[in-house]
Amino acid sequence: MSEALTPETPEAVLDETADEAGEEEPIKQRKNGLYPGVSDKLADSMKSGWADTELRGLTPIAQAEYTAARRAALSARFPGERLVIPAGNLKTRSNDTEYPFRASVEYAYLTGNLTEDGVLVLEPATEGHQATIYLLPRSDRENGEFWLSGQGELWVGRRHSLAEAEQLYGIPASDVRELPAALSEATGPVRVVRGYDAAVEAALTDKVTAERDNELRVFLSEARLVKDAFEAGELQKAVDSTVRGFEDVVKVLDKAEATSERYIEGTFFLRARVEGNDIGYGSICAAGPHACTLHWVRNDGPVRSGDLLLLDAGVETHTLYTADVTRTLPVNGTYTEIQKKIYDAVYEAQEAGIAAVQPGAKYRDFHDAAQRVLTEKLVEWGLVEGPVERVLQLGLQRRWTLHGTGHMLGMDVHDCAAARTETYVEGTLEPGMCLTVEPGLYFQADDLTVPEEYRGIGVRIEDDILVTEDGNRNLSDGLPRRSDEVEAWMASLKG
């Protein structure tokens, strides 16, 4: 990675942020840079000789009509109040390098814009609200910011002008550097989504309350419970890419055996970056007893023939919708007798869970249906003393089932997390909701309460289920689930 240039005198080149007096601050110098400074001749040269690159006649983003409808619903919920929704800022990874930026879900959901430092503001109007999206404009070439600042466009790439942003997002755009001062002078009731932009929150510190701000976050979380047509399409795209990622992994299991779980992780990541924005969450590439660790993301263990591979992974689309799919695969392509016994039990439980996903059903129904099947199996195998109702009442099956059977899915892998319990876990399923159904059985390697042949085996099967008007649709049915179908599928991919 090359070093940023540094000006000879900080006053000579200005930063894109303003100080308290309203004057631009100098661009910060990097200590120990190789260039001692910038000559006047070079500074003048860098100001001119650049072509006009303004983009005109841009087509609005695909979800523009949907984000407009989402903002209208938000406006109707909080009439007469100023609403502030930040995208967030870059976070430092080490010294002067940053983590890849991912816009806050609330901001991306309402705008479709995914760039750092953006802020959506809904100003109360006579009727509803006037929305403005505050963004960084193009880098300033006159003051040298575009090539001297570490975040200048020469270093990190071109960003859209404000005029271009207005065309793309269908929202009037303004310079975000002017926003903190404007917010400081704002009057009337204000709400802000907290935790993303310290400067915005500081400007509103005496105007907001935690309780009122939490109501805004809860509303935006619950608004995402039912997906619109655009979101359902994006989730299907994410799942389709994920299916191809699983196929990629099966084709290279021999290479994973020669290396480690990291080969599996890297293989799936390649598909995620080629077809999507990223992985939706840290891939779980758990071979052998690592499958019994629910969120095994170290992915540094061996991959051995005869063991199972629990692969829990999802591609995130360019609009930030993620899949979340799990398959438990025999590394050598064939389940052993005990592996098949456990796998088939989990499959039967998942079948019961998926069948319970229906409009009008209680959200909990799919979890209860799957847990009942798993409990019946555990009692049948003599691992826990029945009757089944007693085991379920005491939760004794949880020693081996461990987790809930699913969760809402969307722009967050565990979507809508801030929703009220009465509208989520205690709520009713509606068409457009999307959730995972993912029962599992996990027999820890050191569990002396089960026969030795069970120990170290972990199985989870997870699919992404969209609630429809007349039932449900398995978005991830492109991947086989039944044990014999899994074996045939793997054999076909391995040639």
Side-chain angles (χ1 to χ4, degrees), residues 456-494:
I457 295 178
V459 173
R460 180 164 66 251
I461 312 171
E462 177 180 20
D463 285 85
D464 301 341
I465 310 298
L466 180 70
V467 184
T468 61
E469 295 288 345
D470 58 356
N472 69 64
R473 176 159 59 95
N474 185 346
L475 301 180
S476 44
D477 63 0
L479 283 176
R481 293 184 295 124
R482 211 173 64 197
S483 57
D484 59 334
E485 293 176 343
V486 169
E487 290 176 340
W489 168 72
M490 293 182 68
S492 69
L493 290 173
K494 291 183 176 183

Side-chain angles (χ1 to χ4, degrees), residues 225 227 235 238-239 242 280-281 295 312-315 321-327 349-358 362-371 403-416 424-425 429 432-440 442 460-467 472-476 481:
L225 283 168
K227 270 59 180 178
L235 285 166
V239 169
T242 298
Y281 54 96
H295 287 170
D312 184 338
V315 172
Y321 289 86
T322 185
D324 182 6
V325 178
T326 306
R327 291 293 184 269
Q350 195 201 26
E351 283 282 274
I354 292 174
V357 176
Q358 302 284 334
K362 292 295 184 183
Y363 174 83
R364 284 183 175 273
D365 288 352
F366 78 97
H367 169 71
D368 293 341
Q371 287 291 301
H403 54 79
T405 310
H407 52 80
M408 291 295 180
L409 183 68
M411 299 181 87
D412 282 327
V413 66
H414 297 148
D415 208 27
C416 313
Y424 189 156
V425 175
L429 295 179
M433 289 182 170
C434 189
L435 59 145
T436 67
V437 178
E438 51 174 312
Y442 311 90
R460 180 164 66 251
I461 312 171
E462 177 180 20
D463 285 85
D464 301 341
I465 310 298
L466 180 70
V467 184
N472 69 64
R473 176 159 59 95
N474 185 346
L475 301 180
S476 44
R481 293 184 295 124

Side-chain angles (χ1 to χ4, degrees), residues 71-391:
R71 293 192 300 274
L74 176 61
S75 173
R77 171 62 179 83
F78 298 103
E81 301 186 52
R82 180 177 284 101
L83 308 173
V84 183
I85 301 95
N89 316 121
L90 289 171
K91 289 183 171 59
T92 299
R93 179 180 183 273
S94 175
N95 187 26
D96 56 355
T97 61
E98 293 83 22
Y99 287 104
F101 179 75
R102 190 183 191 274
S104 75
V105 165
E106 295 86 353
Y107 175 85
Y109 177 74
L110 293 168
T111 66
N113 176 260
L114 304 178
T115 56
E116 65 268 21
D117 300 327
V119 184
L120 173 69
V121 178
L122 272 61
E123 297 278 352
T126 304
E127 294 185 6
H129 288 78
Q130 172 61 53
T132 303
I133 187 169
Y134 288 86
L135 302 165
L136 281 174
R138 295 288 307 280
S139 289
D140 192 334
R141 303 208 175 201
E142 184 63 28
N143 71 5
E145 178 264 330
F146 90 101
W147 72 290
L148 289 169
S149 168
Q151 292 303 316
E153 290 185 10
L154 186 147
W155 289 97
V156 298
R158 185 188 190 277
R159 51 184 178 250
H160 286 297
S161 71
L162 299 181
E164 292 169 355
E166 291 184 0
Q167 297 173 66
L168 290 170
Y169 307 111
I171 313 171
S174 292
D175 190 336
V176 71
R177 295 171 296 187
E178 301 168 359
L179 182 60
L183 292 177
S184 297
E185 299 172 3
T187 59
V190 183
R191 297 178 192 257
V192 63
V193 177
R194 299 189 182 199
Y196 297 119
D197 194 314
V200 167
E201 290 182 37
L204 295 171
T205 186
D206 59 342
K207 308 176 194 300
V208 295
T209 67
E211 180 180 3
R212 287 164 50 79
D213 292 347
N214 187 59
E215 288 175 350
L216 173 60
R217 182 184 288 276
V218 168
F219 174 82
L220 289 173
S221 193
E222 294 183 357
R224 303 199 310 277
L225 283 168
V226 176
K227 270 59 180 178
D228 57 39
F230 176 84
E231 294 179 290
E234 289 301 293
L235 285 166
Q236 186 65 71
K237 286 182 187 177
V239 169
D240 291 346
S241 290
T242 298
V243 167
R244 289 186 284 272
F246 274 66
E247 293 172 346
D248 296 339
V249 167
V250 171
K251 293 175 182 177
V252 299
L253 281 177
D254 58 334
K255 294 183 174 62
E257 287 187 65
T259 53
S260 75
E261 295 163 338
R262 290 192 177 187
Y263 202 96
I264 296 167
E265 178 183 357
T267 298
F268 186 84
F269 179 71
L270 177 61
R271 177 67 64 173
R273 285 293 285 165
V274 168
E275 295 192 3
N277 174 60
D278 207 330
I279 50 174
Y281 54 96
S283 298
I284 299 168
C285 308
H290 288 162
C292 298
T293 301
L294 297 183
H295 287 170
W296 176 262
V297 293
R298 299 180 198 171
N299 300 335
D300 58 0
V303 179
R304 299 187 178 98
S305 179
D307 282 349
L308 295 176
L309 165 68
L310 190 156
L311 177 59
D312 184 338
V315 172
E316 177 185 82
T317 67
H318 293 290
T319 56
L320 306 189
Y321 289 86
T322 185
D324 182 6
V325 178
T326 306
R327 291 293 184 269
T328 305
L329 311 172
V331 173
N332 64 10
T334 304
Y335 295 101
T336 66
E337 183 178 349
I338 185 64
Q339 289 170 351
K340 186 176 185 300
K341 173 183 174 179
I342 296 169
Y343 183 95
D344 288 348
V346 174
Y347 171 76
E348 188 177 329
Q350 195 201 26
E351 283 282 274
I354 292 174
V357 176
Q358 302 284 334
K362 292 295 184 183
Y363 174 83
R364 284 183 175 273
D365 288 352
F366 78 97
H367 169 71
D368 293 341
Q371 287 291 301
R372 175 170 292 277
V373 171
L374 294 178
T375 302
E376 289 171 350
K377 296 297 181 182
L378 292 167
V379 171
E380 177 187 327
W381 298 340
L383 302 184
V384 63
E385 182 181 353
V388 169
E389 293 298 337
R390 166 186 170 271
V391 177

